[in-house]
Amino acid sequence: GPDTPVPSNVHFEANDPGISARTRADLRNMLEWFRRHPGRYALHVEGHASAEGTEERNAQLSRERAKTVAGWIEKRSGFLRANKVDLT
């Protein structure tokens, strides 16, 4: 089938769980692809942080970033549910 336009990188500002403006268009394109190609999909979202800061803070920030992306997808898709998205 056609290639799924899933962004390989979602960009964030330093020490911030919010999605950057430059990534939102990529996520919107991905959702449009899912709308045009209905089916059952598994979506895995990983959050990462830079090596700056403490290990504990970076782990927390990584989780927050993954949840932010999953929530963004759920809110705008109308069909993907954040509780069904695999977060790590």
Side-chain angles (χ1 to χ4, degrees):
D3 290 331
T4 308
V6 175
S8 59
N9 291 303
V10 175
H11 299 277
F12 300 88
E13 296 300 325
N15 201 30
D16 186 346
I19 301 168
S20 73
R22 71 182 191 173
T23 297
R24 290 185 192 122
D26 291 338
L27 292 173
R28 283 195 280 284
N29 287 338
M30 178 190 72
L31 292 181
E32 185 56 35
W33 186 93
F34 282 123
R35 284 187 187 96
R36 289 191 318 263
H37 301 90
R40 295 180 66 109
Y41 299 98
L43 188 58
H44 178 85
V45 178
E46 291 183 17
H48 298 278
S50 69
E52 296 175 23
T54 66
E55 188 175 324
E56 182 178 308
R57 173 61 183 142
N58 287 340
Q60 176 189 3
L61 186 57
S62 295
R63 285 189 301 275
E64 289 173 0
R65 287 175 169 178
K67 287 179 183 178
T68 297
V69 171
W72 190 98
I73 290 168
E74 178 180 25
K75 182 177 179 180
R76 286 155 183 85
S77 73
F79 55 88
L80 292 172
R81 301 290 171 251
N83 65 341
K84 298 292 184 183
V85 176
D86 182 22
L87 300 175
T88 56

